Amino acid sequence: MYSPHTYCRACGYAKPGANGIKSATTEKLVEVFDLGIQPLANDFHRPESDSAGYAPLKVIFCPRCSLAQLSVVVKPEILYRNYAYVTSPSTMMKSHFERLIHDIRDETGGNRVLEIGSNDGRLLSMMKEAGYSVTGVDPAENLAMEANSKGIETKTGFFGEELAGNLSQYDIVIARHVFCHVDNWVDFVKGLESVSHFDTLILIEAPYVGNTLKHCEFDQVYHEHLSYLNIQAISMLLENTCLRIHRVIEYPIHGGAICIMLRHKNCDIPSNPIINEHFTVQDWKKFSLKAHDQIGKLSARVENLIATGKTVAGLGASAKSTVWINACKFTRKHISFIADTTSQKQYTLSPGSDIPITDEGAILRELPDYVIMFAWNYREEILKKFTKAKSMGVRFIIPVPELEIV
Ligand code: TMP
């Protein structure tokens, strides 16, 4: 189901020699955060089907380029062939896409777009409406089918050098929240080189490790997120390629993301200054202590509520919810249901805990005393939506960045 990951996928630190034998140096990635053995975060399964299983969830750190990465790689076929995560239809996501399109327009007048990890085609639909010619690639057969049915041409497959060989060249290549899911970065970058020309603008958007560390967003750590992106690592990865970092933009989406724009080294548009960053093993060790403290606090609070006869539900069956629930060892005894807008997730069970997922209306129907907002990254939007539930006495527990009850 998974294989060990022992060397840095960005700079090659601790990589075994050509014949697979470890070099004589004592290079080793450093263990910085451990959540033990955990279920796969998006394995929302029907009661009648088995769960996909469990794997270690441990972060190791590269002392050379500061890239934090997971110690194992779960087989991508298990994670993505039938994928439960659908791009959020939230207003926050819609405004993010509007801003992204605006920022792309600012950079290039190009028209031909390739999106890697295009999910159900939500961004590409907006780009198509804005006049772009669009193509998507996604490994999830269920989502590619949905996108194609909406008129967004989507190919099924894992992007890399081989798949790129069957594609043409594009003016704009977008990889949102997919680079951090990829194991073989060298192969992925070869694919990017192959689908781009001298003037192509490439956008890599991912959660930014600076935000993950600063706000202790430990729920970003799950098996799909193989790497926790920092700019220095990407810069070292690109050293022997024809690509360079052109510009870095920070966005508030998904708890704080960066968009790293790449251009060809011999494109004459100059690069912008990039964020000055420095991450250390100590930063991660502090993060680990704080994360375990946060887990203890939420766990104690919920145990206490249950002991005093209160009812607790969850909102947002996000991958983050699975991380929290299993870290806190919550079961149905603690959380009676998790409400979510995604139809594919409704009537399934939360991985590891088997807490049932319901539609969002369950909050008003059941009126639990407390609702844990696992989709805390859409906080304001959700609080606004549930004004009525709040006026009827429902209180929201927001776990990130600090435990808060509103
Ligand atoms: P994400 O943070 O990975 O986008 O996941 C958020 C999850 O929360 C996703 O399954 C959709 C769900 N959600 C709701 O159920 N209601 C909402 O209002 C929002 C914004 C998200």
Side-chain angles (χ1 to χ4, degrees), residues 395-406:
R395 303 184 75 190
F396 283 85
I397 302 177
I398 304 171
V400 176
E402 296 286 344
L403 187 65
E404 186 190 343
I405 301 197
V406 293

Side-chain angles (χ1 to χ4, degrees), residues 295-313 328 330-331 333-335 370 372 374 397 403:
I295 293 164
K297 278 188 184 143
L298 182 68
S299 171
R301 179 64 70 107
V302 172
E303 289 286 359
N304 190 268
L305 289 173
I306 299 301
T308 53
K310 303 287 187 218
T311 52
V312 180
C328 291
F330 289 148
T331 64
K333 185 190 100 186
H334 304 94
I335 299 175
Y370 289 84
I372 307 174
F374 292 118
I397 302 177
L403 187 65

Side-chain angles (χ1 to χ4, degrees), residues 109-308:
N111 180 262
R112 287 166 50 77
V113 180
L114 174 71
E115 188 185 8
I116 303 163
S118 49
N119 200 266
D120 66 348
R122 194 169 293 273
L123 171 62
L124 289 183
S125 299
M126 282 176 69
M127 296 196 81
K128 193 175 173 184
E129 251 172 59
Y132 288 97
S133 150
V134 303
T135 305
V137 178
D138 200 284
E141 283 157 12
N142 59 321
L143 298 175
M145 210 152 75
E146 197 179 324
N148 278 312
S149 73
K150 289 189 293 198
I152 303 298
E153 189 209 336
T154 306
K155 299 178 195 307
T156 315
F158 289 98
F159 182 83
E161 192 179 14
E162 193 184 331
L163 192 146
N166 299 322
L167 297 167
S168 57
Q169 291 187 325
Y170 299 83
D171 306 321
I172 300 156
V173 178
I174 304 172
R176 293 193 57 251
H177 300 268
V178 59
F179 207 71
C180 52
H181 295 234
V182 171
D183 181 22
N184 190 340
W185 278 5
V186 172
D187 178 64
F188 194 92
V189 172
K190 280 186 182 148
L192 291 177
E193 289 176 313
S194 158
V195 295
S196 55
H197 53 71
F198 286 155
D199 282 327
T200 298
L201 179 72
I202 300 170
L203 296 93
I204 293 174
E205 187 188 300
Y208 182 44
V209 72
N211 294 94
T212 306
L213 288 170
K214 189 165 153 204
H215 306 301
C216 199
E217 297 167 1
F218 79 89
D219 51 3
Q220 294 280 8
V221 177
Y222 49 94
H223 296 108
E224 289 165 31
H225 286 172
L226 297 177
S227 308
Y228 301 85
L229 255 70
N230 62 311
I231 296 154
Q232 190 195 353
I234 302 299
S235 180
M236 287 184 79
L237 172 74
L238 297 178
E239 265 169 18
N240 299 316
T241 72
C242 68
L243 301 172
R244 63 173 157 97
I245 297 180
H246 164 67
R247 183 179 170 192
V248 178
I249 308 180
E250 293 193 68
Y251 293 124
I253 200 74
H254 285 305
I258 40 169
C259 174
I260 306 178
M261 291 184 173
L262 310 182
R263 282 194 179 276
H264 272 232
K265 283 180 180 151
N266 36 11
C267 157
D268 50 18
I269 302 175
S271 298
N272 296 258
I274 55 174
I275 302 172
N276 189 9
E277 58 172 24
H278 182 62
F279 301 113
T280 62
V281 167
Q282 280 321 311
D283 295 326
W284 274 95
K285 294 250 158 119
K286 262 194 250 159
F287 163 93
S288 174
L289 282 176
K290 176 118 195 274
H292 286 292
D293 183 54
Q294 278 181 257
I295 293 164
K297 278 188 184 143
L298 182 68
S299 171
R301 179 64 70 107
V302 172
E303 289 286 359
N304 190 268
L305 289 173
I306 299 301
T308 53

Side-chain angles (χ1 to χ4, degrees), residues 85 88 90 93 222 254 315-320 339-342 345 360 375 377-378 381-382 385-386:
Y85 177 77
S88 172
S90 66
M93 191 61 82
Y222 49 94
H254 285 305
L315 184 95
S318 52
K320 299 181 195 70
D340 196 287
T341 46
T342 318
K345 289 181 186 171
E360 234 187 9
N377 42 320
Y378 301 102
E381 187 172 339
I382 290 173
K385 186 161 39 168
F386 285 95

Side-chain angles (χ1 to χ4, degrees), residues 43-47 332 345 347-351 354-357:
D43 182 27
F44 294 94
H45 56 278
R46 303 248 158 226
R332 283 180 194 216
K345 289 181 186 171
Y347 312 109
T348 64
L349 301 176
S350 178
D354 282 357
I355 296 168
I357 314 300

